[in-house]
Amino acid sequence: MSDQPPPYPPLPLLSSIPPNPNPAQTPVPAPTPTFVLPNPGFPHKRKRTGFRRKVPSGSPAAPVAASPSAHPPPPASSADDIIVINREPTAEAVTALTAGFPADSLTDEEIEAGVVSDVGGIEQVNYILIRNHLLTRWRETFNSWLAKEPFAPLIPPHCDHLLSAAYSFLVSHGYVNFGVAPAIKERLPKEPTRPNTVIVIGAGLAGLAAARQLMAFGFKVIILEGRKRCGGRVYTKKMEGGGRSAAADLGGSVLTGTFGNPLGIVAKQLGLPMHKIRDKCPLYRPDGSPVDPEIDKKVEGTFNKLLDKASLLRASMGVVAMDVSLGAALNTLQQTDGGVSTEQEMNLFNWHLANLEYANAGLLSKLSLAFWDQDDPYDMGGDHCFLPGGNGRLVQALAENVPIVYERTVHTVRYGGDGVQVVVNGGQVYEGDMVLCTVPLGVLKNGGIKFVPELPQRKLDGIKRLGFGLLNKVAMLFPHVFWGTDLDTFGHLTEEASRRGEFFLFYSYATVAGGPLLMALVAGEAAHNFETTPPTDAVSSVLKILRGIYEPQGIEVPDPLQSVCTRWGTDSFSLGSYSHVAVGASGDDYDILAESVGDGRLFFAGEATTRRYPATMHGAFISGLREAANITLHANARAAKSKVEKGPSTNTQACAALLVDLFRQPDLEFGSFSVIFGGKASDPKSPAILKVELGGPRKKGATEGGKTDQNHSKKLLFQQLQSHFNQQQQLYVYTLLSRQQIMELREVRGGDEMRLHYLCEKLGVKLVGRKGLGPGADTVIATIKAERNSSRTKSRPSKLKLGVSKS
């Protein structure tokens, strides 16, 4: 017998789960058990800003769950009982939230994987409890391999299949057993165990995460990287001079949120401490004098109020808000409502605008009023941190033993039923079974890679709609720290609005870089102008600002020993910094970019393919793990000579996106039900699409008078879990009915529960996800959209402008 530890478990299509007799039609999810979730201490991210000033500190992390053997569960008498794994299900639910799971329901990926045979029943409740427990144990023991067997004694026999399902899903989708701990690395197969070869384009965080995971699953992997280094837009440069040295993060630099951040787990596996960025951030006027704290507080309050009003404005505008920029709205509201009167107050207000442009790497005039902050509900929570020594330490650890070929610039990708070909500079061709493209959105926008056949129009449109902005930096290594070590940031105001982002924020890396390093940030319009500014001029401007601040205090500012200016906008391998939702785009476009192409031959990952975590390092990393799971799914299906039960056709996917837009203005609403009608109002048989909201706050009319049927109540079993997270994560299901059936449904008494009972038991209707309505509904959706466009063309003005009326 070999003493080699067993490899990663095989990753089947969860075949051990009892099959859903009709997987294309999802049953109505029943309410799940109620836990009262405490506030997990997430900093409240009402306003998405680049640097978070004066944010109250969060409460301690969720309590540590008990070890598997600490609380043996009481015997479960039947499959109708909720199992008890340990005494802290609430704490474990919070852990699930930080990992990106809804605490009380399944993700779309779990439903597609068939982790339970009956969505919404007791089986789902028990699966979630098991899933949350496994996640919690992994977070506590991230340096060890999480095995399934130690948990078996805790689980009643009738739930063994749920343990297998939860464990297989978490491992295959990269939620547990990932990273660089020795116990994880020793599980990597010495040689590929699968016949499949996957080519990964790009050795950034997404490419490295996917490659490591695919190698763990037994694939043969090769990464093609155009640069001479790995990391992509995460680049730590060693700066030296005068006997000093420091590690400068010229690209991604801040770990945004630590509660559920997988990169935080990788850092812990490496034994690297994380330095919390302190909230203290003094601001200085253009002449170098400090900003009055009272004026600072007043303008910050005004700025936040304007953002609140912008939210109300977009709500009142409906779909029209998609065609309006956040900048236009803020400009209009600021001129209308005032609140900023003096020159100093205006300079302060512009500083906050620059900070907002930094957060989104985009001009406010380009950001969508409707969706600029669509990812805020998924903020991971926790501190924003620097990694001592730079994020390059994470990159180097993830790249260890991964086959990477450098200086291979990809210019053509061919994909088809027989596999893929990737052509690089010089004409060299790499062949494989599948290819994962992780290049930045800027490269896709620029057409830097030719795809044969061409990408679907749906994806091309998504690439065009999403925004890709710019952030630049000036890194300076000084002989000593003249600015003090009691703060990590300070800001500087400008007098010209067009230059508000020019060196508006300074990051001190003196406590984490190994030397006296200071970084000046350039955002917004100034970041674009900076691309053509000579480096000597840029450094001179920064020194002028610093001397204006510190020399009046009697502090001499020396010349830097070494300086580096970034040019991310003209870097041919990035052509920008990170993505944002531009005017005309929405969060759906991130999903579109993530879609695979060519029947599971061509895949996409990167920060611009995740609607929950765009513009973040952990978003890129998570997207790589996600695509490793997708690639494995398709490879398994091909090995079994069966086609993956994919979502709908391209036309159906487009109609699914249209459905979201149409339901922003439903024709009829009652309780948790909303309706859009097609055809003529006089025809009772004309089609209608019904949407049911599950998991959200209860609405008026959801619990009308009258007693519900006892058998039906027993069948539903439980009340909804109400958590702050899931109020942002409602589940929507749909069905196709006639106008007459809709009217009859509206008249059903007893609230939403009785309406659901009427739908399922009396009408025999199956409620499905928005992509599962079928081609019949696609025609209805397209017809309704055409009718609305026709009526809008007749009624709406030719051009909308946001401005101040001169009445």
Side-chain angles (χ1 to χ4, degrees):
M1 295 269 311
S2 170
D3 58 0
Q4 178 72 18
Y8 274 62
L11 301 172
L13 298 177
L14 297 177
S15 56
S16 60
I17 308 304
N20 185 341
N22 193 353
Q25 295 182 322
T26 305
V28 181
T32 46
T34 300
F35 306 116
V36 179
L37 289 178
N39 181 350
F42 295 173
H44 189 30
K45 201 181 178 196
R46 267 174 66 254
K47 311 292 180 270
R48 181 178 173 199
T49 55
F51 170 66
R52 305 180 304 172
R53 302 177 67 224
K54 306 174 185 176
V55 178
S57 60
S59 60
V64 174
S67 63
S69 60
H71 297 289
S77 59
S78 73
D80 290 333
D81 289 334
I82 297 179
I83 63 174
V84 178
I85 303 176
N86 82 18
R87 308 302 179 186
E88 294 291 342
T90 299
E92 294 186 347
V94 172
T95 300
L97 292 177
T98 65
F101 284 91
D104 69 326
S105 58
L106 303 178
T107 64
D108 290 342
E109 292 77 14
E110 287 175 304
I111 294 174
E112 291 171 5
V115 295
V116 296
S117 58
D118 181 20
V119 176
I122 279 289
E123 187 184 41
Q124 173 177 310
V125 175
N126 287 332
Y127 167 86
I128 289 169
L129 290 169
I130 294 171
R131 177 199 71 191
N132 294 354
H133 186 63
L134 293 176
L135 275 170
T136 301
R137 290 295 296 151
W138 160 245
R139 291 297 178 85
E140 298 165 2
T141 59
F142 50 80
N143 277 321
S144 302
W145 178 267
L146 185 76
K148 179 180 68 172
E149 290 73 22
F151 298 92
L154 299 177
I155 309 300
H158 71 273
C159 291
D160 283 346
H161 67 292
L162 298 180
L163 174 60
S164 296
Y167 183 80
S168 182
F169 180 84
L170 293 175
V171 172
S172 65
H173 286 71
Y175 288 102
V176 302
N177 292 343
F178 66 84
V180 295
I184 306 297
K185 292 193 292 185
E186 70 181 13
R187 297 282 181 140
L188 293 174
K190 299 293 185 186
E191 298 292 337
T193 59
R194 291 172 173 266
N196 313 99
T197 297
V198 181
I199 302 170
V200 178
I201 304 174
L205 285 175
L208 292 174
R212 289 192 74 86
Q213 193 79 332
L214 289 168
M215 290 170 64
F217 295 163
F219 289 88
K220 181 180 179 181
V221 178
I222 183 170
I223 299 182
L224 304 179
E225 170 55 54
R227 304 180 190 271
K228 298 180 180 180
R229 60 171 179 83
C230 54
R233 285 168 282 168
V234 178
Y235 178 32
T236 303
K237 178 178 176 58
K238 185 178 182 181
M239 299 181 63
E240 297 178 294
R244 298 282 190 176
S245 66
D249 276 324
L250 300 180
S253 58
V254 180
L255 292 180
T256 50
T258 54
F259 284 165
N261 195 321
L263 292 178
I265 291 177
V266 175
K268 291 177 183 178
Q269 290 174 335
L270 293 170
L272 303 178
M274 286 177 282
H275 173 80
K276 176 190 174 183
I277 301 175
R278 290 165 285 189
D279 295 334
K280 180 181 178 182
C281 182
L283 299 181
Y284 296 93
R285 298 168 62 184
D287 62 4
S289 60
V291 169
D292 185 301
E294 291 302 316
I295 297 177
D296 184 7
K297 183 177 180 181
K298 173 194 172 185
V299 174
E300 184 173 17
T302 299
F303 175 77
N304 286 336
K305 288 178 181 177
L306 284 180
L307 282 179
D308 286 334
K309 291 180 179 180
S311 295
L312 296 174
L313 176 63
R314 70 179 173 191
S316 66
M317 295 174 71
V319 294
V320 178
M322 290 187 65
D323 300 325
V324 178
S325 74
L326 176 63
L330 289 176
N331 183 59
T332 298
L333 293 169
Q334 190 270 324
Q335 294 183 46
T336 304
D337 299 341
V340 179
S341 54
T342 68
E343 181 181 358
Q344 181 179 178
E345 289 176 352
M346 180 54 70
N347 292 340
L348 265 170
F349 185 79
N350 282 326
W351 186 92
H352 286 286
L353 295 179
N355 197 31
L356 200 57
E357 290 179 319
Y358 160 41
N360 295 275
L363 304 177
L364 296 183
S365 60
K366 303 291 186 183
L367 291 180
S368 166
L369 171 63
F371 300 115
W372 70 276
D373 56 351
Q374 61 86 34
D375 59 311
D376 273 8
Y378 312 111
D379 182 57
M380 283 192 163
D383 298 324
H384 285 202
C385 297
F386 290 140
L387 191 69
N391 295 313
R393 302 176 74 177
L394 300 178
V395 170
Q396 292 303 319
L398 292 169
E400 181 183 359
N401 296 325
V402 175
I404 306 173
V405 185
Y406 294 101
E407 297 184 84
R408 294 294 188 274
T409 304
V410 173
H411 62 73
T412 303
V413 174
R414 301 188 183 100
Y415 59 97
D418 296 331
V420 299
Q421 291 183 333
V422 178
V423 186
V424 301
N425 52 318
Q428 186 176 2
V429 179
Y430 291 83
E431 295 187 341
D433 297 285
M434 289 165 281
V435 59
L436 171 61
C437 180
T438 72
V439 300
L441 176 60
V443 176
L444 294 176
K445 279 181 167 291
N446 193 52
I449 297 178
K450 180 182 179 181
F451 294 93
V452 182
E454 181 60 277
L455 296 177
Q457 190 61 44
R458 167 184 171 81
K459 188 178 285 286
L460 293 175
D461 291 343
I463 291 170
K464 183 178 180 180
R465 283 191 298 264
L466 275 180
F468 197 65
L470 188 60
L471 175 73
N472 275 313
K473 301 180 180 182
V474 178
M476 296 164 291
L477 178 65
F478 287 96
H480 59 271
V481 179
F482 60 83
W483 57 90
T485 58
D486 62 332
L487 49 77
D488 296 316
T489 57
F490 59 91
H492 176 259
L493 314 185
T494 58
E495 293 178 331
E496 297 179 39
S498 62
R499 299 175 60 186
R500 64 192 177 208
E502 185 176 273
F503 318 124
F504 81 103
L505 185 64
F506 289 79
Y507 274 131
S508 168
Y509 286 82
T511 57
V512 295
L517 182 71
L518 195 62
M519 195 89 70
L521 304 190
V522 191
E525 184 179 345
H528 293 269
N529 296 333
F530 184 80
E531 293 279 324
T532 56
T533 301
T536 52
D537 292 353
V539 173
S540 296
S541 298
V542 175
L543 289 175
K544 182 178 179 182
I545 291 172
L546 293 173
R547 286 168 179 154
I549 293 172
Y550 288 102
E551 288 184 351
Q553 303 176 38
I555 300 173
E556 181 182 354
V557 176
D559 288 336
L561 301 171
Q562 185 187 10
S563 301
V564 176
C565 298
T566 66
R567 297 283 188 272
W568 291 107
T570 50
D571 183 324
S572 61
F573 297 111
S574 62
L575 298 176
S577 298
Y578 39 94
S579 63
H580 58 259
V581 183
V583 174
S586 72
D588 287 344
D589 290 314
Y590 287 111
D591 291 337
I592 292 172
L593 261 68
E595 292 171 355
S596 62
V597 174
D599 196 20
R601 294 293 182 180
L602 172 58
F603 300 81
F604 292 84
E607 57 84 15
T609 69
T610 168
R611 73 184 299 162
R612 288 190 176 191
Y613 313 114
T616 63
M617 292 185 290
H618 61 266
F621 184 85
I622 290 170
S623 75
L625 299 178
R626 177 198 71 211
E627 290 312 302
N630 287 337
I631 289 170
T632 304
L633 174 69
H634 283 83
N636 286 345
R638 269 193 287 271
K641 300 188 184 301
S642 63
K643 191 171 184 178
V644 173
E645 187 174 320
K646 292 183 63 174
S649 65
T650 301
N651 181 61
T652 304
Q653 290 172 330
C655 286
L658 284 178
L659 198 60
V660 176
D661 293 333
L662 293 173
F663 269 106
R664 289 194 176 98
Q665 293 181 311
D667 297 313
L668 179 65
E669 291 183 281
F670 49 95
S672 296
F673 298 74
S674 51
V675 185
I676 53 174
F677 291 115
K680 297 180 179 179
S682 58
D683 182 4
K685 295 183 179 180
S686 60
I689 297 177
L690 173 72
K691 181 176 79 169
V692 185
E693 177 184 327
L694 304 167
R698 297 186 72 83
K699 298 181 179 180
K700 182 178 179 181
T703 54
E704 296 168 5
K707 294 183 178 180
T708 60
D709 179 82
Q710 291 298 317
N711 292 330
H712 179 56
S713 298
K714 184 177 180 181
K715 184 178 179 181
L716 289 175
L717 293 172
F718 304 107
Q719 296 178 345
Q720 281 181 293
L721 167 65
Q722 294 294 330
S723 73
H724 76 285
F725 185 87
N726 287 314
Q727 289 173 6
Q728 302 289 345
Q729 288 234 176
Q730 294 95 343
L731 173 67
Y732 300 113
V733 287
Y734 303 82
T735 192
L736 191 63
L737 297 173
S738 68
R739 183 181 293 266
Q740 180 176 337
Q741 289 173 319
I742 290 291
M743 296 308 175
E744 292 172 355
L745 177 65
R746 185 177 64 167
E747 299 305 316
V748 172
R749 308 302 297 171
D752 286 352
E753 289 187 1
M754 291 308 299
R755 292 188 182 111
L756 285 173
H757 180 66
Y758 180 85
L759 271 175
C760 300
E761 301 298 329
K762 302 296 184 183
L763 298 181
V765 166
K766 296 292 186 181
L767 295 167
V768 298
R770 65 188 177 106
K771 294 182 180 179
L773 281 169
D778 294 348
T779 304
V780 176
I781 293 168
T783 302
I784 296 173
K785 180 66 174 176
E787 290 171 353
R788 288 195 179 183
N789 285 343
S790 176
S791 61
R792 186 181 302 168
T793 302
K794 296 176 182 177
S795 61
R796 69 182 290 185
S798 60
K799 191 172 183 180
L800 171 75
K801 288 187 178 180
L802 273 180
V804 182
S805 128
K806 294 186 179 179
S807 57

